[in-house]
Each structure stands twice: as C-alpha cells, then as structure tokens.
Amino acid sequence: MPIIQKTSTVEAVVNLLTSRIHTGIYPPGSKLPSERCLQMEFGVGRLALREALSRLNAMGIIATAHGRGTFVQDGVKSEALKNVLIPHFALDDPKRLAEFVEARAMLESELAGLAAQRRTTAELRSLEKLLDREVSMDTPWEEIADLDLKFHQLLADFADNPFLAAMHEALISHIHLFLRGFVKSKTTPSAV
C-alpha cells in the first residue's frame, strides 16, 4: 500500500501551478490569473497563495512585474539553476569535486561541438583572437584562469542553445573557482 505524503497548502498550490505550467494551461510568457482569482479557484488564503508564488518566483518559474501582473517565464534563467545547484557544490570535497569536473566536461564538450557547427565567421575570429593572446611563464595565474574561462564562455555563446548556455552560466562561478585553483596548482611550485 503506497504511503500518501502530507502536503502543506503552499506545497499543494506550488504543485498545482507547476502542473498547469507543464501541461500548457499557463504557457511560457502567459500572464497568471490575478491573486484574487487564484485564491477563489484554489480555495486558499492570501498568505498561502503569496508564499507559493514567492517560491515559484525564487525558482525562476514565474516573475512578477509590479503593476502588470505575474507571468510564466519564457525561458530558463541561469540564476534559477544556480540557486538549485548551490547545495551540490562543495569544491573542497573530493567526491563532489570529481562529480563537478565530470559534469563540466560533459557540458562543455557538447557546447564545443555545437559551437563548431553553428559559429559564424566573426565568432570564429573572436575566438582566434583570444587564443592568440601571448601567455608566458610570467603571466599571472589569475589571468590564465580568466582566459580559459572566457574561452569556454565564448563557446557557450556560439553554441546558440539558450538552455545549455543557461546551465553553463549557472556553473560559471564554480568553474571560475575551480580554474583558478587548478591553474594556480600548475603554475605555483609551492602549490603542487
């Protein structure tokens, strides 16, 4: 016999609204009914509804434009993905670091493949310009890490896939931290 999970009113409203968004009742870009209409339709109080809307807003599923209403987001936002992924990052944990490096390699190899197929001539020139930058033993490790990061950001842009680009952008601060630590360990003898 399956166990039925108890759900708070707020969670029930979140689940109902996300279900309606996923099924296309409220498609991307559409305006949600007014708070008063949603309260009456769901039979919930104002505080529970507002808390549910606040959660959906924090997840990046909806956005409120003051004076205009609440709208279903038209695309995934990197900040929403970043907020979801924050608990999974512990770059000082060897297992989590290995998982991160593996996921980054998969994502960036896909981005590189798409960028190779979809890039324009102007984009290729900007990538070549970046690769032509002189780097020597005297180049600060921070600059080398920043150049590496810029290279991968350009590939993400050139791939012309907003969802993958948002995923990459959500990881960017962690990628930057990782690259700085990696480059420093390779360029600073005391860090090896």
Side-chain angles (χ1 to χ4, degrees):
M1 179 179 204
I3 297 173
I4 297 174
Q5 299 287 330
K6 288 188 177 181
T7 305
S8 73
T9 302
V10 173
E11 289 171 16
V13 173
V14 167
N15 293 339
L16 185 55
L17 286 171
T18 54
S19 174
R20 288 183 176 190
I21 291 167
H22 287 279
T23 58
I25 294 171
Y26 302 135
S30 68
K31 182 178 179 182
L32 292 181
S34 71
E35 286 185 14
R36 179 171 289 234
C37 288
L38 290 173
Q39 278 179 261
M40 291 176 63
E41 183 179 351
F42 299 159
V44 298
R46 185 175 187 203
L47 290 177
L49 179 66
R50 286 201 165 178
E51 176 62 25
L53 293 174
S54 178
R55 286 186 190 180
L56 292 170
N57 194 8
M59 290 187 275
I61 296 172
I62 62 171
T64 300
H66 294 288
R68 292 185 39 228
T70 301
F71 296 84
V72 177
Q73 290 286 58
D74 198 16
V76 68
K77 304 294 184 227
S78 64
E79 199 59 38
L81 288 172
K82 183 178 181 178
N83 290 338
V84 169
L85 294 172
I86 283 173
H88 298 287
F89 290 115
L91 297 183
D92 56 348
D93 176 341
K95 184 178 181 321
R96 291 268 172 107
L97 179 60
E99 292 168 352
F100 170 73
V101 170
E102 189 176 70
R104 176 184 173 233
M106 292 173 70
L107 176 61
E108 288 186 347
S109 66
E110 283 301 313
L111 287 168
L114 290 172
Q117 295 170 7
R118 299 175 178 170
R119 56 89 183 139
T120 66
T121 303
E123 290 169 338
L124 183 59
R125 283 193 198 112
S126 66
L127 198 56
E128 289 170 343
K129 185 177 176 183
L130 180 67
L131 292 172
D132 286 342
R133 293 270 316 258
E134 289 287 327
V135 177
S136 69
M137 292 301 287
D138 296 328
T139 305
W141 61 266
E142 298 94 343
E143 186 177 330
I144 295 169
D146 291 349
L147 288 170
D148 189 330
L149 183 68
K150 180 66 175 169
F151 174 82
H152 290 287
Q153 285 177 303
L154 287 175
L155 289 180
D157 291 342
F158 301 165
D160 195 28
N161 182 313
F163 185 77
L164 288 176
M167 288 177 66
H168 190 262
E169 183 63 30
L171 298 174
I172 212 73
S173 62
H174 299 289
I175 291 172
H176 196 217
L177 283 172
F178 169 76
L179 286 173
R180 284 178 161 242
F182 179 77
V183 172
K184 183 179 181 183
S185 74
K186 300 299 181 193
T187 60
T188 308
S190 63
V192 178

